[in-house]
Amino acid sequence: MDWRDSADQAAFRAGVRKFMQERLPPRYKSGSASYSRQEIPSPVETLIMPGASWETDRMSGDPEVRRQCQEWVEALNEQGWVAAHWPRELGGAGLSTIEQYILNEERTIAAAPRVGGTGAMFLGSLLMVHGTPEQQARHMPAIAACEVNWAQGYSEPGAGSDLGSLSLRAVRDGDEYVLNGQKIWSTPQTADAMYALVRTDPDAPKHRGISFLMIEDFRIPGISWRPLMNACFDHSSFGETFFEDARVPAINLIGEENRGWYVAMTLMDFDRASISNTAEQRLDMQELIAFATGEGSDFVRIGERPVLRGEIADRMIEVEVGYNLSLRLAWMQSSGLIPNYEASMGKMFSTELLQRVARSGAKTFGLYANLWPGDERAPLAGKHTYQYLRTIPRTISGGSSEIQRNVIATRGLGLPRG
């Protein structure tokens, strides 16, 4: 298939590229924010951040960081690009799927941070499907304006891939739900609110008796959290949240009570069908090759290692495969089709490729890959060393690779359930 831009798409791409060049604040152009430590309100004094992001910059203790972050938000809001796929009347830009792909690709090439978080990516789309007009009017403008950052409250210590086993209890008491239990692997460190799956009927089968509830204020009594350190010594990515008689208004129920599983699966469809952007992987590989054959050739010695050269060539081929899978998803959505097993193919291939690119990058540098980001001797600022560890959970979050393979087998290949 011919994926080249049409005349209109080429013009849109040129406009996006010019916008990125003219409106992106210096903080994000300089690259000085990579792998930095930032002060944000939290139970720990300092969080180690994997580069600049809207989620962390908006809460930074440095007023200049917050100013440039807000400047970027305002620039995107002028275009409706915080939630570009939303209709204009709801704060978006009404972009087509292909235009969204172009916007995301050019944003990645410019190293510009995405803003709006999961609220803009997923929650708003879910509200358009399952929310009432009042809920849409209450929450979507705030998401589009980046006034609130939503965390996802799905997993629990005893309910990960088997999400239907969740046990966070929500008992109706008049016009409120009373919550008791725990969520894990969310991001309470940078969140103002959380959308969560809760157990409203403990006697129902596990995939029933679940409701979808929006907890719009993380500061209410009965909610506490603490960070969890990941393999990268990074506190910003994971946390666990505790609920002890926390009261949430019943008007924040999305969809029907005890039918929240079906609401959640709508959100997962948006998650898995979101177009995986291979532009970053392509840039990483191009950067790696240029460094290994240029200024870093003295200690990489890639020219003397044919096996490593072959591996890097494999990664470049896989990046192009991933690029075509992404464009196929974009084409399906733009044609009014709903990706199903195709979304699982894209999700699985993209996240596993992220891990392979990081491993190949670390292997390229040999023992130099033991140098952590921040060490001036670390090649390419230790990027591949950090990513080698950071990509570990990518094949778990959003549905593990095993789940995606089952979807591909049963829905794509028509194989029987084993």
Side-chain angles (χ1 to χ4, degrees), residues 31 33-37 48-51 231-234 362 368-390:
S34 297
Y35 307 107
S36 63
R37 293 175 178 268
I48 303 173
M49 302 300 177
C232 302
F233 310 105
D234 173 9
Y368 284 96
N370 289 317
L371 298 174
W372 193 245
D375 191 314
E376 61 182 14
R377 299 166 297 174
L380 292 179
K383 171 192 291 186
H384 294 277
T385 300
Y386 182 89
Q387 291 179 347
Y388 181 85
L389 297 175
R390 184 66 184 87

Side-chain angles (χ1 to χ4, degrees), residues 152-156 159 163 166 183-184 195-197 212 264 267-268:
Q152 185 180 90
Y154 277 17
S155 295
E156 299 178 6
L163 186 58
L166 65 91
K183 290 293 180 183
I184 199 169
Y195 54 89
L197 287 176
F212 193 101
L267 189 143
M268 294 305 295

Side-chain angles (χ1 to χ4, degrees), residues 91-256:
L95 296 189
S96 69
T97 306
I98 297 297
E99 288 172 333
Q100 293 173 54
Y101 185 91
I102 292 171
L103 175 61
N104 287 331
E105 186 173 36
E106 291 299 322
R107 179 189 57 78
T108 301
I109 292 172
R114 184 194 294 270
V115 305
T118 62
M121 286 190 288
F122 307 131
L123 182 58
S125 299
L126 183 142
L127 285 171
M128 284 190 279
V129 176
H130 293 286
T132 66
E134 293 76 18
Q135 290 169 334
Q136 294 172 6
R138 179 178 179 85
H139 297 292
M140 295 184 69
I143 293 173
C146 292
E147 295 172 357
V148 59
N149 185 29
W150 288 86
Q152 185 180 90
Y154 277 17
S155 295
E156 299 178 6
S161 294
D162 184 17
L163 186 58
S165 298
L166 65 91
S167 60
L168 173 60
R169 189 78 170 92
V171 177
R172 184 70 179 258
D173 182 18
D175 293 332
E176 296 177 317
Y177 284 99
V178 182
L179 274 58
N180 283 281
Q182 180 183 357
K183 290 293 180 183
I184 199 169
W185 311 130
S186 56
T187 53
Q189 294 93 319
T190 56
D192 308 298
M194 174 185 283
Y195 54 89
L197 287 176
V198 297
R199 178 73 59 185
T200 43
D201 185 353
D203 298 321
K206 68 178 186 178
H207 288 99
R208 301 182 183 179
I210 291 174
S211 297
F212 193 101
L213 195 60
M214 298 176 70
I215 306 163
E216 61 180 318
D217 187 356
F218 240 27
R219 296 163 294 184
I220 62 173
I223 297 180
S224 60
W225 64 272
R226 63 187 179 193
L228 295 171
M229 183 180 290
N230 66 14
C232 302
F233 310 105
D234 173 9
H235 300 85
S236 69
S237 300
F238 296 136
E240 51 186 347
T241 307
F242 303 91
F243 301 86
E244 299 180 39
D245 293 329
R247 290 182 169 269
V248 177
I251 58 172
N252 288 346
L253 177 72
I254 306 300
E256 299 178 36

Side-chain angles (χ1 to χ4, degrees), residues 60-73:
S60 172
D62 185 337
E64 180 60 19
V65 170
R66 295 198 308 273
R67 186 193 67 78
Q68 293 194 45
C69 177
Q70 185 58 29
E71 179 184 332
W72 180 230
V73 167

Side-chain angles (χ1 to χ4, degrees), residues 42-95:
S42 70
V44 291
E45 292 184 359
T46 304
L47 298 182
I48 303 173
M49 302 300 177
S53 72
W54 169 75
E55 289 86 351
T56 56
D57 280 5
R58 65 191 284 268
M59 301 179 70
S60 172
D62 185 337
E64 180 60 19
V65 170
R66 295 198 308 273
R67 186 193 67 78
Q68 293 194 45
C69 177
Q70 185 58 29
E71 179 184 332
W72 180 230
V73 167
E74 291 172 358
L76 290 171
N77 261 323
E78 290 176 13
Q79 306 293 324
W81 285 351
V82 170
H85 57 296
W86 294 5
R88 293 183 183 276
E89 58 269 22
L90 292 175
L95 296 189

Side-chain angles (χ1 to χ4, degrees), residues 356-373:
R356 290 194 296 272
V357 167
R359 286 198 296 267
S360 295
K363 190 182 297 184
T364 298
F365 298 120
L367 292 177
Y368 284 96
N370 289 317
L371 298 174
W372 193 245

